[in-house]
Amino acid sequence: MSKNDDFIEVLGARVHNLKNIDVRIPREKLVVITGLSGSGKSSLAFDTIYAEGQRRYIETFSAYARQFLGSLERPDVDKIDGLSPVIAIEQKTTSKSPRSTVGTITEIYDFLRLFYARASDAYSYNTGQKMISYSDEQIKQLILEDFADKKVSILAPVVRSRKGHYRELFEQIAKQGFLKVRVDGEVRDIVKGMKVDRYKNHDIEIVIDRLKVPSLSKDSEKESDGDKRVSETIHTAMYHGDDVLMVLDNDINEARFFSRSLMCPTSGISYPNPEPNNFSFNSPKGMCPNCKGLGKLYEVNLNKLVPNPKLSIKQGALAAHGPQKNNWIFKQLELIAERFKFKLTDSFESIPKDAKEVIFFGGNEKFDIESKALGITRSYKIDFEGVATFIQNTFDANESTSLKRWAKEYMEKIPCPECNGTRLRKESLYFKVNGKNIAELAHMDISELAAWFKNLEKDLSETQRKIASEIIKEVRSRLDFLIDVGLTYLALDRSSKSLSGGEAQRIRLATQIGSQLVGVLYILDEPSIGLHQRDNERLIKSLKQLKDIGNSVIVVEHDKDMIESADYVIDIGPAAGKHGGEIVSEGTPKEIEKHNTLTADYLNGRRKIEIPEKRREGNGKTLTLKGATGNNLKNISVKFPLGKMIGVTGVSGSGKSTLINETLYPILNAHFFNGVKKPMPYKKILGLENLDKVIEINQSPIGRTPRSNPATYTGVFSEIRNLFAKTSEAMIRGYKPGRFSFNVAGGRCETCKGAGLRVIEMNFLPDVYVECETCQGKRFNRETLEIRFKGKSIYDVLAMTINEANGFFENIPKIHRKIKTIKDVGLGYITLGQQSTTLSGGEAQRIKLATELSKRDTGNTFYILDEPTTGLHFEDIRVLMIVLNELVDKGNTVLIIEHNLDVIKTVDYIIDIGPEGGKNGGKIMALGTPEEIAENKKSYTARFLKKELN
């Protein structure tokens, strides 16, 4: 390699806030790009290097192909040299489709499908016997050997256990030249107009030929004649019998089945020959026909339908219909009451069982009632669909979301009764390897599955070993990579919807390591998110492994361990936003520490996040959750002391999110705000009266459209528009707040529809964005911009930074409160109108945080934050902790799910869950202050916390 080939050279990068920087990144090394949140790390790694790599790849296609792909814009950079093919593994969470699972993302399930299609044994679901299949030549040999010198009939089965009169079928058979059929075991001649009883199940076979099977004589000439006849008969029977034929011994009237496909020797049921898509729950050939491969169904829950059986129907026992009204449904219910001799005022539990059946599932009958007074008989007709049936049909057949939501209130999600949640059709589950079907493998933990594959060879037959050796090798290596990135607790059938951002990213990392590419540039966005310190070492080892096989790895990261393990570090700064975008230092971790930068100060200990002098006592009240058993939680009970900052810790997959996001938050949300999300199972909760609201701040991204910006997201823009509408000039002209919105017609510039830019479509070249010539990029029309507040137009306000706006709106409390919160979380440098698409992950997370924090706290608010340090530099974490501490000082409770030791060491109370992830997690390992936890011998968190506190 020449000297120049050892580097990726970026010259004159100006994307977003980068200040025309030049940088040389060593190839085939682990390079970490670090710096404050919003300093330009992602702009360099993703928006410059990755974007250029993508663009070069698409340039290799023909002009014809590019018109379908749409071309990518060239990043604003003078030149990039030495760039290899680029793969980015970002924080974007995986597909939200219920059909996507860990197995399908990692492609391990695809290998398993191939394995089962080629190397499994099929068993009959009727008798449990092993299925057999023959070639035509084998069938001929078997007939010649087993039926030598016997009179036989060769039959082609056309109908098996089905109802119908089959008149047309008999006519068709006769037209094809056949004279006899065997119906339900009896051979009959076909006559004109022949039919059978249409309400009974029938077995019908065509008699293809009746012959005496030649004996295997020495005389070869004779043998070939009879032989030939048998061959032709087999061929014809297979054609008409759909690859199955029967040989009937005429003397003893016994039949034997032979099939080209897999077939049960006793009952004659046959399976199609297995293909990989027979094991796919996303293909009609493999999916369970009942739940369409989803594994779960919604079914009406009668307890939700009649929550209080002590009430009468008149009082509203049927929750879906409420108290008695004068409508058709209640008229029908009155008829049912007449028919089954009860009254609508009787309590629901006392109604006869038959009547309940009709009320729930419907009925259709006529009945007569004699009227004693009039001496006549009246006829009535019940034609009732049934309350449960109606709800089920509304859910199944309706497009409307609101109706579906109404029906869902009375339904619950249950595993599909036909496939028991395995998602596959019955036949696919009877193909087994070493006694296990594919669904059983998909249900094992990754660690369990790896152990099963480790000892597999000795249980396979010679042929199976030959066929499957390559597949087994692939599966093993991919499972090992998943174990290396700390995902031992996942199962292949786990839905990808339920994965956290960090898990999803590490799965994609494992998939990439599994593909063993060489000479590629990998760019990762904070892979350590959601990863416990214990698993961090494994992750770093995986990245080094990628590098060692000949790839370059660039990681955008704030984690101390990762920075110290890198071969080369690039620190971008000095501050964030427009005050950043320069390279403040670069070199090996040891060299970096000597420089005078923020990052260096935190690495070498000149600055650090201080441990509080004393831990808060709290207000003495608690919130107690008892008997939580969701996912992997082992029936745990937890006390949350109020008025403190609480940290919930534990290795990935130990059950932190299940306990807090899936159990505690939905309970509180339903209690205070009538939330509809159903909490995971728990026994009871005590102490709700000590709180008066709950606020959750999770990791989902904020609106990522160019029309969304910090002002619209935090809701401060509505207040600013109201303010402009109240100025005297606006009132004279009759302008309403809508006039100052760039999203609706009226005040916006109509040429660019309020975008400030016009898109010029270029065929075969990337679209060009030019400033709108009508409004010069100001988004509003001339009349709107004439309205001014303190000399500034609405456009000028959107162009202000948060710091400027903070002073400008000082005397308007409604606006000032929201803007000050954004400033307090360290985002003073962004502008109010900055497009959300240009915000970094850490910035978006904090905008969201600021929005929630600017809501008025009551002093009894319970805040739940899920890894708020995502995308934050040490300095940003320090600023964030100041804001959170202020909240707790006012009497509120802040609960943080976190792995970052800088946060864990500053909280007042820790709840540590463990010991491992997945099935081996879900227990409370330790409770108490950080100092108490550090002395715990069992907890993994304690080990790392002890180092940090000392």
Side-chain angles (χ1 to χ4, degrees), residues 235-249:
H235 191 76
T236 314
M238 284 290 184
Y239 174 75
H240 289 286
D242 206 7
D243 285 352
V244 178
L245 65 81
M246 288 163 73
V247 178
L248 179 69
D249 187 331

Side-chain angles (χ1 to χ4, degrees), residues 729-782:
E729 181 65 24
M731 290 172 84
I732 291 166
R733 297 189 185 188
Y735 290 169
K736 298 275 182 291
R739 178 83 197 191
F740 301 97
S741 163
F742 48 75
N743 287 332
V744 291
R748 69 179 181 189
C749 161
E750 280 307 316
T751 315
C752 61
K753 300 276 190 281
L757 299 167
R758 287 228 348 264
V759 184
I760 296 181
E761 287 185 15
M762 315 279 274
N763 290 346
F764 305 127
L765 283 171
D767 295 343
V768 177
Y769 290 90
V770 294
E771 196 175 70
C772 167
E773 64 275 11
T774 315
C775 65
Q776 275 89 42
K778 293 191 172 170
R779 308 180 99 169
F780 295 95
N781 56 28
R782 189 176 50 88

Side-chain angles (χ1 to χ4, degrees), residues 75-101:
D76 190 359
V77 59
D78 295 339
K79 184 174 173 197
I80 300 185
D81 272 339
L83 192 58
S84 344
V86 188
I87 293 178
I89 303 177
E90 298 177 74
Q91 270 301 296
K92 310 272 186 295
T93 40
T94 42
S95 141
K96 289 271 176 264
S97 154
R99 297 191 172 279
S100 164
T101 65

Side-chain angles (χ1 to χ4, degrees), residues 17 93 173-174 182 196 295 306 431 446 480 498 502 560 657 697 746 758 765 784 841 850 865 922:
N17 64 341
T93 40
I173 294 172
R182 179 170 179 254
V196 289
V306 185
F431 285 85
I446 298 282
D480 288 344
S498 67
K560 198 170 174 178
S657 298
I697 303 161
R758 287 228 348 264
L765 283 171
T784 310
L865 291 87

Side-chain angles (χ1 to χ4, degrees), residues 898-944:
E898 192 52 273
H899 294 289
N900 187 305
L901 290 171
D902 284 324
V903 174
I904 296 172
K905 70 182 184 187
T906 56
V907 303
D908 304 313
Y909 188 81
I910 293 178
I911 297 168
D912 188 41
I913 302 178
E916 299 289 335
K919 290 178 184 163
N920 303 325
K923 296 180 187 154
I924 299 284
M925 296 308 293
L927 299 166
T929 63
E931 286 76 13
E932 290 164 13
I933 298 283
E935 296 310 314
N936 188 303
K937 296 282 182 283
K938 290 188 209 149
S939 152
Y940 285 113
T941 309
R943 252 192 356 227
F944 294 96

Side-chain angles (χ1 to χ4, degrees), residues 332-518:
Q332 285 291 323
L333 289 170
E334 281 168 9
L335 285 181
I336 295 170
E338 287 274 349
R339 164 74 181 79
F340 291 99
K341 312 215 170 7
F342 68 91
K343 296 190 177 66
L344 292 190
T345 49
D346 297 348
S347 73
F348 195 82
E349 56 192 2
S350 65
I351 295 176
K353 200 172 167 201
D354 301 353
K356 284 184 188 165
E357 276 293 303
V358 177
I359 293 172
F360 286 140
F361 305 108
N364 199 334
E365 62 168 311
K366 284 187 172 150
F367 62 97
D368 299 329
I369 290 178
E370 283 184 27
S371 168
K372 296 231 169 72
L374 298 171
I376 55 172
T377 304
R378 282 191 171 177
S379 288
Y380 292 99
K381 181 166 189 272
I382 297 176
D383 183 5
F384 189 54
E385 185 181 10
V387 181
T389 318
F390 171 69
I391 290 174
Q392 189 76 49
N393 292 345
T394 304
F395 183 79
D396 292 341
N398 237 302
E399 293 298 310
S400 147
T401 329
S402 52
L403 273 175
K404 268 189 185 317
R405 193 180 311 133
W406 171 80
K408 242 188 212 176
E409 283 177 30
Y410 308 104
M411 305 178 88
E412 61 179 346
K413 217 174 191 177
I414 56 158
C416 162
E418 236 170 76
C419 65
N420 292 324
T422 60
R423 301 169 165 233
L424 295 168
R425 55 171 63 238
K426 187 161 66 176
E427 293 84 350
S428 307
L429 296 173
Y430 280 86
F431 285 85
K432 298 189 178 177
V433 174
N434 195 9
K436 298 258 183 226
N437 64 33
I438 193 165
E440 289 171 304
L441 293 195
H443 195 60
M444 291 179 183
D445 280 359
I446 298 282
S447 46
E448 240 180 296
L449 186 60
W452 188 83
F453 266 100
K454 196 172 173 185
N455 308 319
L456 183 61
E457 261 107 331
K458 61 178 196 300
D459 299 313
L460 297 182
S461 68
E462 192 53 42
T463 351
Q464 281 178 320
R465 236 173 284 165
K466 260 189 197 146
I467 297 170
S469 63
E470 280 303 305
I471 303 177
I472 293 175
K473 204 167 84 191
E474 274 296 328
V475 172
R476 273 183 192 161
S477 73
R478 280 166 195 257
L479 289 173
D480 288 344
F481 296 129
L482 281 173
I483 292 171
D484 287 344
V485 292
L487 295 173
T488 48
Y489 54 90
L490 294 180
L492 294 184
D493 60 3
R494 165 104 174 244
S495 164
S496 63
K497 277 206 301 203
S498 67
L499 297 171
S500 69
E503 283 171 339
Q505 191 183 6
R506 291 197 299 281
I507 282 181
R508 292 183 48 206
L509 175 62
T511 310
Q512 287 302 339
I513 303 175
S515 58
Q516 296 281 321
L517 297 173
V518 174

